[in-house]
Amino acid sequence: MSWLQKEIALSEKKRGFHLVTQEIVARLPELQQYKVGLAHVFIMHTSASLTLNENADPTVRGDFERHFNKMVPENAPYYVHTYEGPDDMPAHIKASLLGSSVTVPIQNGRFCLGTWQGIYLCEHRDRARSRRLVVTLQGDRA
Amino acid sequence: MSWLQKEIALSEKKRGFHLVTQEIVARLPELQQYKVGLAHVFIMHTSASLTLNENADPTVRGDFERHFNKMVPENAPYYVHTYEGPDDMPAHIKASLLGSSVTVPIQNGRFCLGTWQGIYLCEHRDRARSRRLVVTLQGDRA
Amino acid sequence: MSWLQKEIALSEKKRGFHLVTQEIVARLPELQQYKVGLAHVFIMHTSASLTLNENADPTVRGDFERHFNKMVPENAPYYVHTYEGPDDMPAHIKASLLGSSVTVPIQNGRFCLGTWQGIYLCEHRDRARSRRLVVTLQGDRA
C-alpha cells in the first residue's frame, strides 16, 4: 500500500468545459507504478469543478456550457450575492452541481476509464485563472 | 489492508432510474470479508450514471425520470451535438449532474447505507444496453 | 496505513444550506494523526446532502436555497410521490443533484481544502432533524 499526494496547477482556461485527462496524466508519472488502486482528483476552488464525460466531440462540451448557462442563469432576480459580478453566483451553483472531485479506478498503471470517458475541467468564471488540483493516488504498487 | 477490483456488467435496463443495490451485492461475495473500508462503484459510460436515493417507493424513481426530462430537455434549440439522436446530449448532461460513481462505507462485511438508501443505476438512453461497472473494495479484512 | 470509521450526528438544522466544517472537525480529533490520506464524509439520508462551496458570505448559502427551490420546484404537476408533503420529492432530487458524500484530501493532520472551501450540509426538508454522517478516515499516520 502506497500513498502519493501532489498538487497540480492546470493552465488557465477560458469559461467553458475542457478535456484535461492528458494534462493531468502528463503530470502524474507516478501513476504507472500502481497496479491497482484509486485516484482522487480534487479541485481547491468553488467556482470551477470536475466531472467525467464524453472525450471525443468538442460540441458536447459546448452544449454543456450552453445548457448550464440556461439551467443556472446569470442575473436571476433572487440572487443576493452579486458584488463579484454576474458570473460569480452561477459559478458557485454550477460547481456544486458538478462536484469538486472525481475518483477514478487505477488498473495496471493507468486510469481505468471507459472508451469515451475523459476528465473535464469546468471553468465557470469569465476571467480565466490557473486552477489548483490536489491528486491523491493510493493502491498497491507493481 | 486489502484491495479488490472487479468489473460487473449490469443487465440491460430501460431508460429511467433503477434500484440495483441487490444486483451489485450479489456479484460481490468478497464484500463480506471486509471489516472496515470503502467501496467505490464506478460506471464506465457517459450516458448513464450512479446515485444513492430512496429504496422503497418506485414512484420516487418515476418522478426522478420525469423531473430530469424537464430540467434537461430533449431537442433544446442550443444543442449542436444532435447526430446520435434527441436522447443523446441530455443523457451526457444528466450523467454529469448525477455523477459517475458512488463511494459507500463498508462496515462488518456490508455496505453501510442508511435505512432508506439504495444505489440507483440511472439509464439515460432510449436503447437499453448492458452497463459496465468497476467496483473497487479496499479496507481491513476481518 | 490506518482506518478510522465513526458516526457523527449533526445538530438539527433548518431547511437550507449550512456550513458544517467546524462542527465535523470538532468531532474528529483523530484527524490530526493522519499525515497523508483521504476523508470520506457520507450522509445516511436521501433528503439531505453534502457539498463543498464558499465558506465566507452567508448570502451564497441563501442563493443556493433560492436557486434549488426554483430548479427543483415543489408541487410540480408530474410528481406522483406526494404523500410525504410538497417538500419531500424535491428533497430527494436535490439530494442526488448535490450528492451523498464528499471526499477531502488529508494533509498533515488537516483537511486540505482551498482557502474558500467549506463543507455544506444541505437540509432539504422543512422539518429539521438530526442528520447522521459516517466519516471514514484512511491514510498514513505521522
Side-chain angles (χ1 to χ4, degrees), chain B residues 55-102:
Chain B
N55 61 13
D57 184 350
T59 64
V60 171
R61 274 106 72 191
D63 286 354
F64 263 88
E65 176 66 11
R66 284 179 284 276
H67 182 75
F68 274 81
N69 288 342
K70 184 165 166 54
M71 196 170 64
V72 189
E74 300 194 354
N75 301 310
Y78 46 81
Y79 293 150
V80 175
H81 180 82
T82 55
Y83 62 91
E84 291 181 52
D87 59 319
D88 181 60
M89 195 57 227
H92 289 307
I93 295 172
K94 292 169 182 174
S96 276
L97 285 170
L98 288 159
S100 53
S101 65
V102 291

Side-chain angles (χ1 to χ4, degrees), chain B residues 113-129:
Chain B
L113 292 166
T115 309
W116 303 105
Q117 285 181 309
I119 303 173
Y120 285 12
L121 172 79
C122 318
E123 175 57 68
H124 304 305
R125 295 304 306 264
D126 287 334
R127 283 207 297 170
R129 290 183 290 168

Side-chain angles (χ1 to χ4, degrees), chain B residues 51 53 57 63 66-67 117, chain C residues 43 78 80-81 92 96 138:
Chain B
T51 193
N53 220 288
D57 184 350
D63 286 354
R66 284 179 284 276
H67 182 75
Q117 285 181 309
Chain C
I43 193 162
Y78 47 80
V80 175
H81 180 83
H92 289 308
S96 276
Q138 54 164 324

Side-chain angles (χ1 to χ4, degrees), chain B residues 1 37-38 51-54 57 59-60 63-64 66-67 70 97 103 105-107 112-114 116-117 138-140, chain C residues 1 3 5 40 42-46 71-73 78-81 83 89 92-93 95-97 100-101 134 136 138:
Chain B
M1 176 68 187
L38 288 172
T51 193
L52 296 174
N53 220 288
E54 209 256 10
D57 184 350
T59 64
V60 171
D63 286 354
F64 263 88
R66 284 179 284 276
H67 182 75
K70 184 165 166 54
L97 285 170
T103 302
I106 303 173
Q107 212 169 72
C112 177
L113 292 166
W116 303 105
Q117 285 181 309
Q138 55 165 323
D140 284 339
Chain C
M1 177 67 185
W3 287 85
Q5 196 170 71
H40 179 252
F42 179 79
I43 193 162
M44 298 179 80
H45 304 272
T46 62
M71 196 170 64
V72 190
Y78 47 80
Y79 293 151
V80 175
H81 180 83
Y83 63 91
M89 195 57 226
H92 289 308
I93 295 171
S96 276
L97 285 169
S100 53
S101 65
V134 175
T136 306
Q138 54 164 324

Side-chain angles (χ1 to χ4, degrees), chain A residues 27-130:
Chain A
R27 307 286 288 280
L28 283 177
E30 303 89 345
L31 180 61
Q32 300 169 38
Q33 300 165 17
Y34 287 82
K35 195 176 169 197
V36 59
L38 289 172
H40 178 251
V41 185
F42 179 78
I43 192 162
M44 297 178 81
H45 304 272
T46 63
S47 58
S49 54
L50 296 170
T51 193
L52 296 174
N53 220 286
E54 209 256 9
N55 62 12
D57 183 350
T59 64
V60 171
R61 274 106 73 191
D63 286 353
F64 263 87
E65 176 66 11
R66 284 179 284 275
H67 182 75
F68 274 82
N69 288 342
K70 185 164 166 54
M71 196 170 63
V72 189
E74 300 194 355
N75 301 309
Y78 46 81
Y79 293 150
V80 175
H81 180 82
T82 55
Y83 62 91
E84 291 181 52
D87 59 318
D88 182 59
M89 195 58 227
H92 289 306
I93 295 172
K94 292 169 183 175
S96 276
L97 285 169
L98 288 160
S100 53
S101 66
V102 292
T103 301
V104 179
I106 303 173
Q107 212 169 72
N108 298 322
R110 302 179 59 174
F111 287 154
C112 177
L113 293 166
T115 308
W116 303 104
Q117 284 182 309
I119 303 174
Y120 285 12
L121 172 79
C122 319
E123 175 57 68
H124 305 305
R125 294 305 305 266
D126 286 335
R127 283 206 297 170
R129 289 182 291 168
S130 170

